[in-house]
Amino acid sequence: MRYKRTFRYVICRIIRHGVIWVAIAFAVFPALFIIGTSFNPANSINSTGIFPAKPTLDNYKSLLFGANSVFAMWMWNTLKICFVTSSISVFLCALGAYAFSRFRFPGRRAGLLMILLVQMFPQTLGMTAIFLIMVWFNKNFPLLGLNTHSGLIFVYLGGAIGFNTWLMKGYFDSIPRSLEEAAFVDGATPFRTFLSIVLPLAKPILVVVFIIQFIATYSEYMIASTLLKGDNMYTLAVGLRLFVGQHYDDRWGPFAAAGVLGSLVIVAIFYSLQGQIVSGLTGGALKE
């Protein structure tokens, strides 16, 4: 009987590990294929694979040091927009989440439900309205109009606050109110308590929201391609489309190389902040 249990345990363990390895291979294969394509001298995607026949660094050299390369400009534009959008989003969401978590006011629950309801509709559904609003800004406030990075950041912030505020609010609920009450006794104002007590304790969820917004902005294509025009204004996601935009002028090698270099930013952020991500996502699992 004991041998049967041992045999079943071994079989179940082999099956579990087999499923895990299949899932890992399924997830890793596209990344390996792109890496292999980036070292392939041929621009045709039909002749590439994970292990190219004659690997070369020419795609990376042309991308970084080519005479007409604007990859560095695209990366700078993308990082600038992502960092500014994510930083402002974290601060605004923290203010809103703290208000919903600590204060009681008319319309509080309705406001939370409205925030959640609005997030059910993707921002791209309002592209026509967004474009018309940006045209109006372009006439009256050119700094926030079409083909400006500040205008694009303004649009991204409008779609970022809802879900992130809800996520932060759950984490703020887990922070004991007694800490703030002790600060009030010592004469601290609510805003001072928010800056000195709550925000340091909420660092994990701030990091999570920053990363979520950073990745969403980093990979966004639809809105950026609509509002930005000109090679020097493009973000990385929009600029990469130029490599494979025409059937007879495809450059899959540089396209893959740019994808590999662009992904290193996300990998570095995840690797450096992975501890904060885990604690931030699990710390706010409280029922209101």
Side-chain angles (χ1 to χ4, degrees):
M1 192 69 178
R2 188 182 66 180
Y3 295 109
K4 291 183 178 179
R5 289 198 301 266
T6 302
F7 179 75
R8 285 198 299 267
Y9 172 77
V10 172
I11 294 299
C12 292
R13 190 176 180 88
I14 292 175
I15 293 175
R16 286 198 301 267
H17 282 76
V19 172
I20 291 173
W21 282 109
V22 169
I24 292 175
F26 184 79
V28 171
F29 175 78
L32 294 179
F33 188 84
I34 292 298
I35 294 174
T37 303
S38 69
F39 291 103
N40 190 354
N43 281 325
S44 175
I45 198 171
N46 295 324
S47 61
T48 188
I50 297 179
F51 303 102
K54 298 179 180 180
T56 179
L57 294 175
D58 290 344
N59 293 323
Y60 290 93
K61 292 178 181 179
S62 64
L63 191 68
L64 296 174
F65 308 109
N68 298 321
S69 176
V70 289
F71 174 78
M73 180 64 68
W74 294 342
M75 281 297 300
W76 165 246
N77 293 340
T78 303
L79 293 176
K80 176 180 62 177
I81 292 172
C82 289
F83 274 112
V84 173
T85 302
S86 302
S87 300
I88 297 177
S89 175
V90 166
F91 182 72
L92 294 180
C93 291
L95 291 175
Y98 183 73
F100 279 117
S101 176
R102 291 298 190 260
F103 303 137
R104 297 296 181 266
F105 50 88
R108 172 180 173 273
R109 182 170 292 274
L112 286 171
L113 293 177
M114 184 61 66
I115 287 175
L116 192 60
L117 179 63
V118 169
Q119 297 305 305
M120 296 176 61
F121 304 95
Q123 197 175 18
T124 51
L125 288 180
M127 277 305 305
T128 302
I130 291 173
F131 184 79
L132 293 177
I133 291 173
M134 297 306 293
V135 170
W136 183 88
F137 271 105
N138 198 55
K139 295 178 180 178
N140 298 277
F141 303 97
L143 291 178
L144 293 176
L146 294 171
N147 202 32
T148 62
H149 291 159
S150 56
L152 184 61
I153 292 172
F154 183 72
V155 173
Y156 284 155
L157 288 175
I161 295 178
F163 171 77
N164 293 334
T165 299
W166 184 277
L167 187 63
M168 278 192 184
K169 187 262 180 189
Y171 194 93
F172 285 160
D173 289 341
S174 67
I175 298 177
R177 295 175 181 264
S178 57
L179 299 175
E180 299 166 71
E181 294 171 355
F184 292 150
V185 171
D186 291 336
T189 62
F191 188 69
R192 180 66 179 177
T193 303
F194 169 72
L195 292 178
S196 302
I197 304 297
V198 177
L199 284 187
L201 294 175
K203 181 181 176 181
I205 194 61
L206 300 181
V207 172
V208 168
V209 170
F210 182 90
I211 292 176
I212 291 175
Q213 186 56 41
F214 188 96
I215 295 176
T217 306
Y218 195 86
S219 58
E220 200 282 322
Y221 171 80
M222 185 67 69
I223 297 176
S225 63
T226 304
L227 301 182
L228 299 179
K229 302 297 179 184
D231 290 353
N232 292 332
M233 297 297 296
Y234 285 157
T235 60
L236 181 62
V238 180
L240 289 183
R241 184 69 176 85
L242 299 179
F243 287 122
V244 291
Q246 298 177 355
H247 179 69
Y248 295 104
D249 191 27
D250 293 343
R251 291 177 288 174
W252 289 101
F255 176 83
V260 172
L261 293 178
S263 65
L264 294 179
V265 176
I266 304 299
V267 172
I269 291 177
F270 264 102
Y271 183 78
S272 59
L273 300 175
Q274 56 184 333
Q276 300 288 340
I277 295 173
V278 174
S279 59
L281 290 174
T282 58
L286 289 180
K287 182 179 178 182
E288 184 180 7

